[in-house]
Amino acid sequence: AVSLLQFGLMTFFTFSFSLTFTKRLFSLFVPPYSLPRLASLEKDPRIAVLYTTMNDVVPECLRRIDQTHPVDVFVLDDSTDPEKRRVVDSIFRERGYSLLRREARVGYKAGAINNWLQEYGSSYDYFILLDADSMIPRNWVQECLQYAEHPDNQKVAVFQGLINIWNLDGNFAKTLAPIHRLSQDEWEKKMANYLDAVIFYGHNALLRTKAVVEAGGFPTEYVSEDFALAVRLADLGYKCRFVPLHTYEALPENVRGFVKRQNKWTRGSMEFFGFA
């Protein structure tokens, strides 16, 4: 039994090392993926920005939703903590955002997005999805639309931004940042688009509303609703693509928070594949 366990572990680590080494080797010779892009926008699509939060609002992120392209900002707040709700109430009034709260948190984050789609989705060509700790530059929507509106990208449903770390004042995040950038350079900027293997991260992305509605909205039966949506879209002939535009999120500030986040992602993937 011990030998069998050792064999399994060695096989796993050998495979993981081989995969990582192969990606890095090929990335040395493959140029960055060139996604078709318009030189300028020929029309002004209607855009909504959805900021999702559940007892984790980050005031500086919520206040900084400000774009050069006209957008309507919706705060999808499922918070139960009275103090967090007061923070959201203060900022949405201050900034002139729209606020959506549900009586019952059915479907969790996916349910909140689907609720918005049912009420407002028909009025918007695209929507941007942000988590509570997400930040995007002021020109991000304008530049992303130049990709989304290109005729050759009409079957791309998700334009996933490159995600960088903004809370670099802590030692833990600062230590992991170089590894994060290396992975981004070899996978997100190059290999993923070439291999048609882009997976929607669930935030910091622009989505084509029509495609998401056609897919039936966000699946609510899985923890990883973003991964499940990407699969549904692929079944309908749509694609996900990384766009070479930077966005930002906060990295957990310690090992415990990092492990908790990775555990959630792993559990979601395992659940989707039927292992949990």
Side-chain angles (χ1 to χ4, degrees), residues 11-31:
T11 300
F12 173 77
F13 286 118
T14 302
F15 175 79
S16 299
F17 174 78
S18 300
L19 179 62
T20 302
F21 178 78
T22 301
K23 288 195 300 183
R24 291 182 178 174
L25 179 63
F26 274 96
S27 68
L28 295 175
F29 304 100
V30 175

Side-chain angles (χ1 to χ4, degrees), residues 139-163:
N139 63 343
W140 196 84
V141 171
Q142 179 78 26
E143 294 194 19
C144 197
L145 283 174
Q146 291 176 240
Y147 293 101
E149 286 290 290
H150 195 286
D152 292 347
N153 295 329
Q154 292 306 300
K155 293 301 288 185
V156 179
V158 178
F159 296 85
Q160 178 64 61
L162 306 178
I163 300 180

Side-chain angles (χ1 to χ4, degrees), residues 38 59 101 111 129 151 196 211 234 241 243 251:
L38 294 174
R101 285 195 174 114
L129 195 56
D196 199 17
R241 288 285 182 263
V243 289
L251 193 72

Side-chain angles (χ1 to χ4, degrees), residues 152-215:
D152 292 347
N153 295 329
Q154 292 306 300
K155 293 301 288 185
V156 179
V158 178
F159 296 85
Q160 178 64 61
L162 306 178
I163 300 180
N164 300 285
I165 302 167
W166 61 260
N167 60 330
L168 294 175
D169 50 338
N171 290 330
F172 183 75
K174 189 182 298 183
T175 301
L176 288 187
I179 301 174
H180 180 85
R181 284 195 294 269
L182 176 62
S183 175
Q184 187 178 87
D185 287 341
E186 70 186 27
W187 182 248
E188 297 177 357
K189 292 182 180 178
K190 297 182 179 180
M191 302 298 293
N193 282 335
Y194 281 117
L195 297 176
D196 199 17
V198 180
I199 296 297
F200 174 36
Y201 289 163
H203 58 284
N204 294 33
L206 179 143
L207 294 89
R208 196 179 299 277
T209 309
K210 176 184 175 183
V212 177
V213 171
E214 186 179 341

